[in-house]
């Protein structure tokens, strides 16, 4: 287990910059060993960067570039995260994907994609003819010609994934330092000094998992291996009443124009439409755009017209950390005792645990002695998915604690008991958005018309006042 | 799981549901039960502290909470059973509902079920408004709860989207919270409220009604810093720290849809006949669940009249 450090200690064996899904996975992986670990993020919550706004698909890696690092880490990460989700209670659903062809060109491409899947070690895909396709997805818009089924593509709860990693790392002794921006890094022969918005920290080894800013951190060392270009992805989420419209993840056939727009169920019982893909220059531009939303509505109307009659409950924007290279940019700088984990563009959720193992091995190559390994402390996080029993449906739980029968957020059916428990959890939310990621409160169709004030009061009183 | 039975089961203890319950009791139904998922009965008027309630039904004008309290005590006097913090989750049969509450799970069957679940305003996402996602965005409903029920800090300068009755209610609520309304936007050529209400609020609170003006985008990272709008003379930015989305109603039709009742494509309300009966015999819909949106007294009168027409 990670070394426990006294609160005043500011020197660590390993510091990780960035508590997104990747940084948190690395912290968790290292926390099994006899190391002191610091996980640091500029934001007030874990997973509050790109990791909070993605399409939440557990990818098989069927369409990655064969032979690439991404292909290897996505394939392995898929199994690691699947097992981890079972272990700690992260919701996932085994819905499978259909790559729907809308033109003769796309239809012809399906078999090439199938060959690529095989090259990536994924053998279970199969072609679906048009009649079968409409039988599987009766609400699909007119004009589809057929599909490639990829049954291994699943959906997962992305927020709980990052939270679980960070919670387990913390339980094992890692220090989580939020609201702390790394501004400058100084190096001596054996220590990195991180100058941050909250004072200085020192570390023998450093991992850069800063996502969109991984190139900026690299520049502190003088490395110029890649430049991150934020690629905006806008997403629309539709009300739960639309969930019965779609059974599979409906993927577009990738073309020269990029990956395209998908329609997918979410584990929370919604349907998601997106993402757009647009290169920007501002790494903090997480606003949605008029053109992007109009584009999504137009695409959505073609893929599934009935979906557009449903209410939109959320609009998210995620910025992919795209670089000039197609592959992940993970590299060891052994003399500096420094690992860069950049360019984790569009599969980082799936690959996270495999990336963590890979980074662990790179650190040992640079001389890090991991020391004794222990089992990580068992954790369990609240299941947020619709496929399993929710607290408001759980008779024994309500009998033991009646506040689990008092629904506060009516659209998402989140109870007072869940909100109070979350506010007292090891990594409590700092704001309404963080509470939403942990419980789903306020994320539903009324968007707070009914519960905003109550939820805000609970947050402001840290669960004390009703 | 607990099982129970009543004669009349009403979902929603707003003006419509409470008025219907009182009438049901008065016309002789023995067991009349009203459910509400909130901690307190009363519906929307409960958090609408300004005056303007009760003209047509109670024949005097009063504040929302007073109005709600009147109906609650009348219902209790009449012998109506009111169950709060109780959500009707789904159907447990043609004339039965599954409930959850701090008391646990329950299935209630009834000979008549009335849906009086009300309506809500569409929020920013439901209207697909682009821009950032900062703090300071409300609907009139959430604003009123923040101000009147919770006394929460709001801001200093607000823009209201929409110019219907409820938008003027937002002006009054903002004024109560010390927030100045800097503009009220509507894409239409004029506002859609009665003149007296508009003039009254306009004189008292001095805000700019901006017709033919469409909201394009919300600005500001942490906190709202303004809105970008399209006007007949081009685009412009109005600086503000609060945005209130008013009107643009959607009926709370979840139960109706879960029960596969016939729904109107245009209004999204359950389709009812002249007796307010839905496509399922024995199941009725009333109040603001039936579009178009009405004032509280109209909803209450509808609730009272349901009985004389039907039973
Ligand atoms: C639209 C979209 C759809 C996607 N869909 C999927 C999908 O379906 N499946 C899948 O597996 N993946 C998907 N992804 C990819 C996945 O979301 C990312 O690969 C993953 O979230 C990257 O995680 P990260 O930890 O590297 O980055 P981030 O989550 O961005 O974390 C980096 C963290 O570093 C912090 N940081 C940066 N600089 C500093 C500093 N100087 N000091 C302190 N902290 C700093 C940031 O605050 C941030 O929290 C998608 C991505 C997008 C955008
Ligand atoms: C901001 C605002 C200001 C207004 N100002 C005025 C005014 O000045 N004068 C005026 O006359 N009218 C006003 N109105 C309109 C008036 O409030 C409504 O017309 C009236 O409340 C509608 O009554 P109702 O009973 O149909 O629904 P509601 O009052 O909305 O009540 C519906 C009830 O159903 C409950 N419910 C819903 N689903 C479930 C479920 N599944 N299980 C259990 N319970 C459920 C809800 O909790 C709610 O309490 C205003 C409305 C708003 C939003």
């Amino acid at each position: 287990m990670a070394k426990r450090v006294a609160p005043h200690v500011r020197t660590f064996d390993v510091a990780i910059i960035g508590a997104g899904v990747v940084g948190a996975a690395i912290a968790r992986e290292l926390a099994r060993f006899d190391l002191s670990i610091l996980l640091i993020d500029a934001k007030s919550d874990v997973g509050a960067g790109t990791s909070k706004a993605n399409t939440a698909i557990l990818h098989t890696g069927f369409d990655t570039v064969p032979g690439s690092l991404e292909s290897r880490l996505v394939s392995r990460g898929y199994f690691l995260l699947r097992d981890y989700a079972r272990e700690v209670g992260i919701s996932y659903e085994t819905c499978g994907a259909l790559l729907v062809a809308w033109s003769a060109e796309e239809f012809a491409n399906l078999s090439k994609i199938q060959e690529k899947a095989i090259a990536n070690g994924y053998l279970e895909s199969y072609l679906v003819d048009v009649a079968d396709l409409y039988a599987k997805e009766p609400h699909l818009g007119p004009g589809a010609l057929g599909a490639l089924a990829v049954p291994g593509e699943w959906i997962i709860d992305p927020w709980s994934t990052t939270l679980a990693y960070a919670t387990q790392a913390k339980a094992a002794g890692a220090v989580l330092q939020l609201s702390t921006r790394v501004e400058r890094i100084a190096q001596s022969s054996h220590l990195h000094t991180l100058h941050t918005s909250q004072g200085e920290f020192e570390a023998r080894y450093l991992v850069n998992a800063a996502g969109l800013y991984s190139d900026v951190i690299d520049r502190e060392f003088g490395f110029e291996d890649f430049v991150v270009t934020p690629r905006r992805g806008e997403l629309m989420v539709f009300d739960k009443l639309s969930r019965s419209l779609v059974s599979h993840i409906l993927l577009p056939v990738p073309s020269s124009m990029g990956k395209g727009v998908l329609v997918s169920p979410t584990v929370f019982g919604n349907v998601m439409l997106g993402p757009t893909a647009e290169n920007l220059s501002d790494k903090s531009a997480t606003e949605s755009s008029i053109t992007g939303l109009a584009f999504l509505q137009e695409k959505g109307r073609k893929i599934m017209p009935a979906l557009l009659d449903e209410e939109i409950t959320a609009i998210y924007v995620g910025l992919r950390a795209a670089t000039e290279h197609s592959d992940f940019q993970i590299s060891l700088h052994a003399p500096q005792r420094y690992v860069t984990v950049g360019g984790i563009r569009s599969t980082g959720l799936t690959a996270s645990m495999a990336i963590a193992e890979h980074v662990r091995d790179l650190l040992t190559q640079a001389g890090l002695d991991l020391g004794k390994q222990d089992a990580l402390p068992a954790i369990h996080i609240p299941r947020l998915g619709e496929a399993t029993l929710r607290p408001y449906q759980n008779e024994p739980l309500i009998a033991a604690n009646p506040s689990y029968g008092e629904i506060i957020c009516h659209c998402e059916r989140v109870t007072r008991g869940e909100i109070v428990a979350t506010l007292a959890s090891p990594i409590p939310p700092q704001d309404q958005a963080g509470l939403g990621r942990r419980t789903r409160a306020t994320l539903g169709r009324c968007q707070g018309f009914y519960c905003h004030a109550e939820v805000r009061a609970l947050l402001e009183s840290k669960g004390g006042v009703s | 799981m607990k099982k129970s039975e009543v004669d009349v089961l009403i979902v929603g203890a707003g003006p419509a549901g409470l008025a219907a319950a009182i009438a049901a009791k008065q016309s002789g139904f023995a067991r009349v039960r009203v459910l509400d998922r909130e901690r307190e009965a009363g519906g929307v008027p409960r958090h609408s502290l300004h005056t303007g309630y009760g003209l047509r039904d109670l024949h005097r004008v009063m504040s929302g909470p007073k109005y709600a309290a009147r109906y609650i005590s009348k219902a209790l006097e009449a012998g109506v059973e009111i169950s709060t913090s109780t959500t009707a989750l789904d159907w447990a049969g043609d004339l039965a509902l599954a409930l959850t509450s701090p008391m646990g799970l329950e299935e209630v069957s009834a000979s008549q079920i009335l849906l009086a679940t009300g309506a809500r305003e569409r929020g920013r996402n439901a209207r697909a408004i682009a821009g950032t996602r900062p703090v300071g965005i409300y609907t009139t409903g959430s604003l009123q709860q923040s101000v009147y029920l919770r006394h929460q800090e709001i801001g200093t300068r607000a823009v209201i989207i929409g110019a219907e009755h409820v938008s003027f209610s937002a002006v009054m609520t903002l004024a109560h919270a010390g927030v100045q309304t800097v503009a009220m936007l509507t894409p239409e050529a004029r506002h859609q409220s009665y003149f007296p209400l508009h003039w009254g609020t306009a004189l008292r609170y001095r805000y700019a009604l901006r017709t033919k003006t469409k909201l394009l985008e919300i600005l500001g990272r942490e906190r709202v810093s303004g809105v970008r709008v399209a006007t007949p003379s081009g685009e412009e930015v109005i600086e503000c720290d609060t945005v209130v989305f008013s009107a643009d109603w959607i009926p709370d039709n979840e139960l109706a849809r879960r029960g596969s009742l016939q729904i109107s494509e245009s209004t999204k309300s359950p389709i009812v006949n002249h007796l307010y009966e839905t496509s399922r015999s024995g199941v009725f819909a009333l109040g603001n669940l039936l579009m178009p949106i009405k004032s509280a007294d109209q909803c209450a009168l509808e609730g009272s009249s349901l009985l004389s027409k039907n039973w």
Side-chain angles (χ1 to χ4, degrees), chain A residues 60-353:
Chain A
T60 56
F62 76 94
D63 66 344
T64 48
V65 177
S68 63
L69 182 62
E70 182 181 19
S71 168
R72 179 158 69 84
L73 296 181
V74 170
S75 304
R76 173 148 176 84
Y78 176 89
F79 292 105
L80 292 174
L81 181 50
R82 181 197 65 184
D83 292 348
Y84 187 64
R86 286 179 186 149
E87 179 191 321
V88 303
I90 299 166
S91 300
Y92 66 92
E93 285 182 39
T94 61
C95 51
L98 293 167
L99 265 95
V100 182
W102 296 93
S103 68
E105 186 206 335
E106 287 182 356
F107 189 72
N109 256 333
L110 294 180
S111 49
K112 281 181 219 149
I113 296 166
Q114 190 175 24
E115 281 162 28
K116 190 174 180 188
I118 292 166
N120 278 311
Y122 185 76
L123 309 178
E124 269 113 71
S125 68
Y126 59 90
L127 291 165
V128 176
D129 68 24
V130 73
D132 199 15
L133 174 60
Y134 281 96
K136 284 184 195 304
E137 292 291 349
H139 298 282
L140 201 63
L145 303 177
L148 181 72
V150 190
E153 296 277 296
W154 295 351
I155 53 176
I156 188 163
D157 169 357
W159 302 322
S160 297
T161 302
T162 309
L163 186 64
Y165 294 157
T167 301
Q168 199 166 32
K170 194 173 176 191
V175 173
L176 178 62
Q177 184 71 38
L178 295 171
S179 301
T180 305
R181 174 172 299 283
V182 175
E183 282 155 358
R184 197 164 58 76
I185 302 167
Q187 297 128 61
S188 69
S189 57
H190 61 289
L191 276 181
H192 302 282
T193 305
L194 308 181
H195 297 268
T196 79
S197 52
Q198 307 283 338
E200 289 173 18
F201 295 87
E202 290 177 328
R204 289 166 48 225
Y205 290 79
L206 185 64
V207 177
N208 164 9
L212 293 163
Y213 297 88
S214 49
D215 57 347
V216 176
I217 299 290
D218 250 16
R219 298 298 178 275
E220 290 289 309
F221 291 85
F223 301 129
E224 300 197 356
D225 299 337
F226 61 89
V227 176
V228 174
T229 302
R231 184 171 297 163
R232 173 158 67 183
E234 298 169 70
L235 295 158
M236 274 181 182
V237 180
F238 289 83
D239 185 25
K240 300 210 144 41
L241 291 163
S242 65
R243 176 64 182 84
S244 58
L245 291 174
V246 53
S247 319
H248 300 80
I249 306 163
L250 302 177
L251 294 175
V253 176
S255 71
S256 48
M257 302 299 288
K259 270 204 173 186
V261 172
L262 62 81
V263 167
S264 172
T266 74
V267 292
F268 312 118
N270 301 88
V271 176
M272 183 179 262
L273 168 68
T276 57
E278 179 193 1
N279 285 345
L280 303 177
S281 50
D282 180 356
K283 289 178 175 176
S284 63
T286 53
E287 63 263 23
S288 57
S289 68
I290 297 166
T291 46
L293 299 183
F295 170 80
L296 287 182
Q297 284 171 312
E298 183 200 319
K299 282 278 178 190
R301 205 162 277 125
K302 177 164 187 241
I303 303 169
M304 189 161 280
L307 182 60
L308 275 290
D309 292 336
E310 299 292 340
E311 297 291 310
I312 302 168
T313 60
I315 293 170
Y316 295 114
V317 177
L319 299 176
R320 307 170 188 83
T323 71
E324 63 275 40
H325 311 283
S326 75
D327 205 355
F328 287 172
Q329 296 299 300
I330 304 180
S331 49
L332 169 66
H333 304 281
Q336 289 82 6
R337 303 170 317 284
Y338 169 67
V339 178
T340 302
V341 189
I344 314 297
R345 188 179 55 210
S346 44
T347 50
L349 169 64
T350 309
S352 51
M353 293 181 85

Side-chain angles (χ1 to χ4, degrees), chain A residues 52 234 236 239-242 282 284-291 293 297 309-317 391-395 398-399 401-408 410-411 413 416 433 437 445-458 460 465-466, chain B residues 1-2 37-39 44 47 85 87-90 100-106 117-133 137-143 145-147 149-150 152-154 216-218 221 228 249-250 252-255 257-258 268:
Chain A
K52 76 172 182 212
E234 298 169 70
M236 274 181 182
D239 185 25
K240 300 210 144 41
L241 291 163
S242 65
D282 180 356
S284 63
T286 53
E287 63 263 23
S288 57
S289 68
I290 297 166
T291 46
L293 299 183
Q297 284 171 312
D309 292 336
E310 299 292 340
E311 297 291 310
I312 302 168
T313 60
I315 293 170
Y316 295 114
V317 177
Y392 75 84
Q393 301 166 311
N394 187 332
E395 192 130 52
I398 299 171
N401 180 349
S403 68
Y404 284 100
E406 187 186 350
I407 297 180
I408 300 284
H410 301 293
C411 306
R413 297 183 169 172
R416 181 181 301 278
R437 290 193 289 275
R445 67 176 78 87
C446 93
Q447 291 156 43
F449 180 91
Y450 295 112
C451 72
H452 162 85
E454 175 85 30
V455 167
R456 180 170 155 188
L458 277 166
E460 287 173 359
V465 174
S466 56
Chain B
M1 182 183 326
K2 191 179 157 196
R37 58 194 187 184
E38 298 294 339
R39 274 195 156 182
V44 166
H47 55 73
S85 295
T87 302
L89 298 170
D90 208 340
T100 197
S101 79
M103 319 271 279
L105 307 182
E106 184 180 350
T117 49
R120 62 177 191 272
E121 297 162 292
R122 281 195 176 83
R124 178 265 176 96
N125 293 334
R127 303 183 199 205
I129 300 298
T132 50
R133 306 201 304 149
I137 302 176
Y138 297 86
T139 51
T140 318
S142 68
L143 174 76
Q145 295 184 41
S146 287
V147 171
L149 296 185
R150 297 286 171 188
Q152 287 160 348
E153 166 78 43
I154 303 299
L216 294 176
E217 188 178 21
I218 291 178
R221 286 279 154 85
R228 202 156 62 80
W249 299 92
I250 165 105
D252 221 305
N253 60 11
E254 182 179 10
L255 272 181
R257 287 191 61 185
R258 282 180 187 258
K268 314 253 178 188

